[in-house]
């Protein structure tokens, strides 16, 4: 039987979350009294999670699309078999996911699912297209939903959804990881973006220093002008990280008020977005793009003109889809050290995996997947 219900309630038996109109109350009694097995599946992009979690909640059948093509609400058969491996999902499987909007670009599933299996952890990691994060956590209160990556645009609002927030995440004002504590079910928020991007930049600078025979114990960011584009969740993490290393943080953001508020929080400086290309107080600065400019599908966009890139020793781009953004290509042509958002992605994912599983992340394995597949 195929029932195309459109509701906004949760089934406490199957854990599925139905959004839209009101037919769920009719579907639920139907499933209770039905003499034959019934698979309920939400459709569209928001319904994908119901398809992928079917086996956890007792479904004996899962559908996938053919030809590697993703259809809204239906994952390609090839990823059901190779990424999610739904044949291993059972009632004890812990559910993790990325809460974001949009969510289709996230590489989390292709990284975390194989890492779960590599370490023998019974978990699944799914994309969760979420509009309203508060409503999401109200509905997904079941302890089986054990942990979440938080993406665009929810990182700041996620703080208000947590019962406890790690001090670093609290000072940053953004959470990118939420773990449901097994002992009491409380939601605890963390930020793994901050150390991920700052250590990626530091390691690249140190490599250059060592090659030049200039090794030092202090952070290579100490005293540097750190030009930050973007003041959203990722931008806040970078601003606090750069400040913690003694850099002078200068922030440019499309929304100037947001830049000013962040600059004040890190004792930095905010300048109007239009001045970014002309900003050149010295050579050898660090540029970090934490805005969504250049992200798929807008891959021809770049936040800084090629001509202005000569002033930077290192250019980092948080955008990781595509891996080699226009900004990074032009920065390399201008002679800068370039650090891809993929490096940050690997490091923040390792941090998340440790928090999710309360154990060590398989670093080499996860790095290999990212470098092979992204
Ligand atoms: N590599 C990684 O591991 C990693 C981790 C986190 C994030 N990221 C990437 O970092 C980027 C930002 O993520 P987020 O979580 O910080 O998102 P967010 O909180 O939604 O912030 C988005 C930022 O991008 C700016 N922005 C968006 N569209 C713009 C446009 N057309 N022109 C100028 N500025 C624009 C926003 O400026 P306004 O304030 O003016 O709106 C804001 O500063 C995304 O591309 C994301 O994929 C990568």
């Amino acid at each position: 039987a195929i029932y195309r219900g459109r509701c906004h309630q949760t089934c406490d038996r199957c854990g599925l979350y139905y959004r839209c109109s009101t037919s769920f109350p009719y579907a639920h009694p139907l499933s209770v009294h039905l003499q034959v097995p019934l698979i309920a599946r939400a459709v569209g992009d928001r319904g994908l999670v119901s398809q992928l979690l079917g086996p956890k909640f007792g479904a004996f059948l899962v559908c996938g699309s053919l030809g590697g093509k993703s259809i809204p609400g239906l994952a390609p058969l090839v990823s059901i078999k190779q990424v999610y491996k739904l044949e291993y999902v059972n009632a004890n499987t812990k559910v993790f996911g990325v809460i974001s909007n949009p969510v289709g670009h996230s590489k989390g599933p292709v990284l975390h699912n194989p890492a779960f299996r590599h370490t023998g952890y019974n978990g699944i990691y799914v994309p969760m297209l979420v509009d309203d994060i508060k409503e999401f956590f109200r509905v997904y209160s079941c302890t089986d939903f054990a942990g979440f990556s938080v993406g665009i645009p929810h990182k700041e609002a996620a703080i208000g959804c947590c019962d406890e927030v790690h001090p670093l995440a609290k000072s940053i004002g953004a959470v990118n990881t939420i773990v449901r504590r097994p002992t009491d079910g409380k939601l605890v928020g963390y930020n793994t973006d901050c150390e991920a991007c700052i250590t990626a930049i530091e390691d690249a600078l140190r490599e250059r220093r060592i090659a030049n025979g200039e090794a030092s114990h202090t952070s290579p960011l100490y005293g540097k002008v750190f030009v930050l584009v973007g003041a959203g969740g990722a931008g806040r993490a970078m601003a606090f990280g750069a400040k913690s290393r003694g850099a002078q943080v200068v922030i440019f953001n499309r929304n100037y008020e947001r830049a000013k508020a962040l600059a004040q929080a890190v004792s930095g400086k905010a300048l109007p977005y239009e001045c970014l290309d002309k900003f050149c107080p010295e050579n050898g600065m660090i540029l970090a793009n934490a805005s969504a400019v250049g992200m798929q599908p807008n891959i021809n966009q770049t936040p800084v003109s090629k001509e202005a890139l000569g002033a930077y020793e290192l250019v980092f781009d948080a955008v990781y889809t595509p891996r080699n953004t226009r900004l990074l290509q032009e920065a390399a042509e201008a002679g800068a050290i370039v650090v891809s958002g993929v490096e940050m992605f690997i490091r923040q994912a390792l941090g998340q995996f440790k928090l999710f599983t309360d154990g060590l992340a398989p670093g080499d394995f996860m790095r290999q997947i990212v470098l092979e597949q992204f």
Side-chain angles (χ1 to χ4, degrees):
I2 295 177
Y3 179 83
R4 300 189 102 209
R6 309 191 76 218
C7 321
H8 51 77
Q9 296 190 28
T10 318
C11 173
D12 53 11
R13 291 171 62 225
C14 67
L16 297 185
Y17 170 42
Y18 294 80
R19 213 172 167 279
C20 299
S21 68
T22 51
S23 312
F24 185 81
Y26 304 106
H28 195 258
L30 187 70
S31 72
V32 171
H33 299 296
L34 215 64
Q35 297 298 305
V36 293
L38 173 85
I39 298 175
R41 182 169 82 74
V43 296
D45 284 330
R46 287 166 183 78
L48 177 62
V49 65
S50 71
Q51 173 76 268
L52 295 174
L53 297 184
K56 173 169 172 67
F57 295 104
F60 62 91
L61 183 77
V62 173
C63 307
S65 60
L66 293 173
K69 272 196 182 162
S70 202
I71 295 172
L74 210 58
L77 201 55
V78 68
S79 74
I80 286 177
K81 288 178 150 208
Q82 290 173 7
V83 176
Y84 298 102
K85 295 218 185 250
L86 294 187
E87 65 270 32
Y88 296 111
V89 171
N90 54 41
N92 297 323
T93 303
K94 291 282 177 203
V95 180
F96 300 85
V98 49
I99 304 169
S100 185
N101 188 355
V103 75
H105 69 287
S106 173
K107 304 286 189 191
V110 293
L111 182 59
H112 286 290
N113 286 304
F116 283 144
R117 285 189 299 279
H118 185 78
T119 52
Y121 187 90
N122 187 3
I124 183 170
Y125 184 101
V126 294
M128 294 169 162
L129 180 55
V130 170
D131 307 294
D132 180 339
I133 187 168
K134 272 215 163 80
E135 174 69 0
F136 172 83
F137 279 111
R138 194 187 65 73
V139 172
Y140 281 85
S141 55
C142 164
T143 53
D144 277 341
F145 290 89
F148 309 90
S149 307
V150 185
I152 293 177
H154 300 308
K155 287 185 183 177
E156 290 165 76
I159 289 226
C161 300
C162 295
D163 299 301
E164 288 174 25
V165 178
H166 186 273
L168 175 68
K170 198 179 267 180
S171 60
I172 291 169
V175 151
N176 80 325
T177 311
I178 298 178
V179 176
R180 196 183 299 281
R181 196 161 49 204
T183 46
D184 57 9
K186 295 241 191 279
L187 295 173
V188 187
Y190 300 89
N191 191 303
T192 66
D193 281 340
C194 178
E195 280 302 297
C197 64
I198 293 300
T199 59
I201 292 171
E202 283 181 322
D203 286 352
L205 286 171
R206 277 203 184 99
E207 213 175 287
R208 165 77 65 93
R209 303 280 185 279
I210 289 168
N212 293 344
E214 303 166 5
S216 152
H217 288 301
T218 51
S219 168
L221 285 173
Y222 185 80
K224 283 269 189 188
V225 175
F226 189 96
V227 176
L228 175 64
V229 186
R236 292 189 68 84
M238 286 183 208
F240 276 85
K243 187 206 168 189
S244 75
R245 301 313 203 261
Q248 305 167 45
V249 185
V250 182
I251 303 163
F252 294 85
N253 190 54
R254 183 178 58 177
N255 177 331
Y256 187 42
E257 292 307 312
R258 220 175 169 193
K260 282 201 287 191
L262 180 54
Q264 197 175 9
V266 296
S267 313
K269 192 156 85 174
L271 292 172
Y273 196 55
E274 311 72 68
C275 303
L276 178 54
D277 274 345
K278 297 214 167 62
F279 182 72
C280 187
E282 62 186 50
N283 280 327
M285 301 183 292
I286 307 297
L287 174 68
N289 177 39
S291 79
V293 176
M295 184 171 123
Q296 262 171 9
N298 304 311
I299 58 169
N300 289 323
Q301 292 180 0
T302 181
V304 183
S305 75
K306 190 175 176 183
E307 296 68 43
L309 291 173
Y312 295 95
E313 179 186 7
L314 179 145
V315 175
F316 167 78
D317 198 344
V319 172
Y320 64 93
T321 49
R323 181 170 167 176
N324 197 13
T325 58
R326 179 176 162 191
L327 173 65
L328 292 185
Q329 289 169 35
E330 293 182 347
E333 285 164 22
I337 305 170
V338 294
V339 179
S340 161
V342 169
E343 190 53 41
M344 173 179 172
F345 178 80
I346 295 171
R347 292 172 188 233
Q348 63 78 31
L350 284 169
Q352 289 191 331
F353 196 87
K354 283 182 198 161
L355 292 167
F356 287 161
T357 58
D358 199 18
L360 278 180
D364 290 345
F365 178 79
M366 288 172 79
R367 181 172 290 274
Q368 191 186 334
I369 292 179
V370 172
L371 297 179
E372 273 172 16
Q373 299 204 11
F374 286 30

